Amino acid sequence: MGKSKRNSPKPGGNRAQRLAERRAALQEAEQAVARPFEGLAAECDLVALREFVPSATAELALKPEIAAERAVVLATVLPGAVAALVRAGDTPTGYVGVQVQAPTRDPAADIAASILWAQSAEPGESLAVAHAAPGGPALSDVIVSAAPLDLVVHRDFDWWVPEGVQPDPQVAATIEQAKEAIMPSDRLDLGPDAIGAPWWVDAGEKAHLRWVRPEPEDDLMLALARLHAAGGLHLGEGSRFAGSFRTHGLLVPVFDLDPERHVSEWRDPATEFGARLDEALAVDSPLTSEQRRSRDGLRSRQVTLR
């Protein structure tokens, strides 16, 4: 007796809906820009701000040819997770968020569109969602590509309200709620020659170091495998390699840290690890069998965010 063919999903049924959602997700993933901030000196920090830094701001270095009318501040998240707003004052200032309520396949292009919107919007206006037009300006057309971010890391969201302004009760309640959920974070300053963006966060029972690296993912994974096989994949006493995650075309190694130690105590260990990693990246010989086992183990602990 022949095998019966599987019935096609019934239109409007749950299975048909699940298949449609899966196809849509695959199409969106295929269209997504693999490395949206590539070519920018601030790439690693932009990825960190978008993915896990709770509260930070940085005034952007805008290109003079865009005829900037006002300063624009990049922010992790704005009230209501809007894409942009213009704050009134003697000198109106634009604010552009990177953690937004409706992200698209090209966050860099959306940030560029938000910056340009902030140049002409009226003080007090906000832009709920930014969707860059096809063929519109890239972020590198709007900001100085070689300029790093001069970051200000905040312990709360009080900067949402201009100095001297009394927020209404709803806004004040939102700020308090956000403040209770925030995890203390800091950017480790390892000097002008440091590579990537190492961020420390106090998650309560543990602290973490998430180090966004600019190298190609495969190259960095091989270097991490070499260090792991040699016993050098750590930040010294009180640390443990926890795994890594992939996001926006970059690989981010993550370390668990002793939460009792101050963030400043991790600068020297991180610098030493960075030097070991640079040496491992410079090696181009094939992996040994032990290093291959390390690589396979590291990959099994890797997750993809987007």
Side-chain angles (χ1 to χ4, degrees):
M1 189 172 179
K3 294 181 179 179
S4 61
K5 294 183 179 179
R6 186 177 183 181
N7 293 331
S8 299
K10 181 180 179 181
N14 290 336
R15 181 166 168 250
Q17 182 179 351
R18 288 197 301 271
L19 289 173
E21 290 173 350
R22 188 180 304 167
R23 282 194 296 268
L26 289 173
Q27 289 174 354
E28 184 177 349
E30 290 174 356
Q31 295 173 352
V33 178
R35 193 169 169 177
F37 303 110
E38 187 175 12
L40 301 174
E43 177 185 20
C44 293
D45 277 314
L46 285 166
V47 169
L49 295 179
R50 181 166 169 76
E51 291 303 324
F52 55 80
V53 177
S55 184
T57 55
E59 184 171 340
L60 292 170
L62 303 179
K63 286 193 171 181
E65 53 263 38
I66 72 166
E69 297 293 329
R70 55 175 65 113
V72 175
V73 174
L74 188 77
T76 47
V77 63
L78 297 171
V82 298
L85 57 83
V86 176
R87 181 176 288 177
D90 295 337
T91 305
T93 302
Y95 282 77
V96 171
V98 294
Q99 298 174 24
V100 295
Q101 56 182 305
T104 72
R105 65 181 185 86
D106 190 350
D110 291 340
I111 292 172
S114 296
I115 293 170
L116 296 177
W117 173 89
Q119 292 302 314
S120 57
E122 293 295 322
E125 289 187 332
S126 64
L127 178 67
V129 178
H131 292 298
L139 187 54
S140 58
D141 297 326
V142 178
I143 67 172
V144 178
S145 299
L149 293 179
D150 186 10
L151 286 159
V152 179
V153 181
H154 304 275
R155 304 301 179 196
D156 50 40
F157 290 96
D158 289 346
W159 57 270
W160 278 0
V161 179
E163 189 174 350
V165 174
Q166 183 67 31
D168 63 53
Q170 183 176 357
V171 172
T174 301
I175 292 175
E176 275 305 311
Q177 185 177 9
K179 188 184 300 186
E180 291 176 2
I182 202 170
M183 291 189 292
S185 300
D186 255 313
R187 170 71 150 81
L188 260 68
D189 182 5
L190 305 183
D193 297 326
I195 297 173
W199 282 85
W200 171 91
V201 59
D202 182 355
E205 293 184 2
K206 292 181 181 179
H208 306 289
L209 181 74
R210 299 163 178 157
W211 198 331
V212 188
R213 300 287 304 196
E215 296 87 4
E217 294 178 48
D218 289 342
D219 293 349
L220 181 57
M221 179 56 70
L222 293 181
L224 294 174
R226 295 181 196 278
L227 290 180
H228 184 270
L233 190 52
H234 59 78
L235 298 181
E237 184 179 354
S239 73
R240 182 184 70 87
F241 181 72
S244 61
F245 62 88
R246 303 168 63 247
T247 182
H248 298 308
L250 299 181
L251 188 61
V252 185
V254 180
F255 297 87
D256 290 339
L257 306 176
D258 180 354
E260 297 300 320
R261 294 175 61 177
H262 190 268
V263 57
S264 62
E265 296 181 65
W266 295 107
R267 291 195 181 105
D268 288 344
T271 299
E272 293 167 6
F273 170 76
R276 291 199 302 274
L277 184 57
D278 290 343
E279 290 178 2
L281 284 162
V283 178
D284 58 4
S285 59
L287 296 181
T288 65
S289 58
E290 185 179 359
Q291 290 169 346
R292 288 196 299 271
R293 286 194 295 271
S294 289
R295 178 199 59 194
D296 295 343
L298 295 178
R299 282 179 173 167
S300 70
R301 297 156 65 184
Q302 179 179 294
V303 297
T304 300
L305 297 187
R306 54 176 121 213

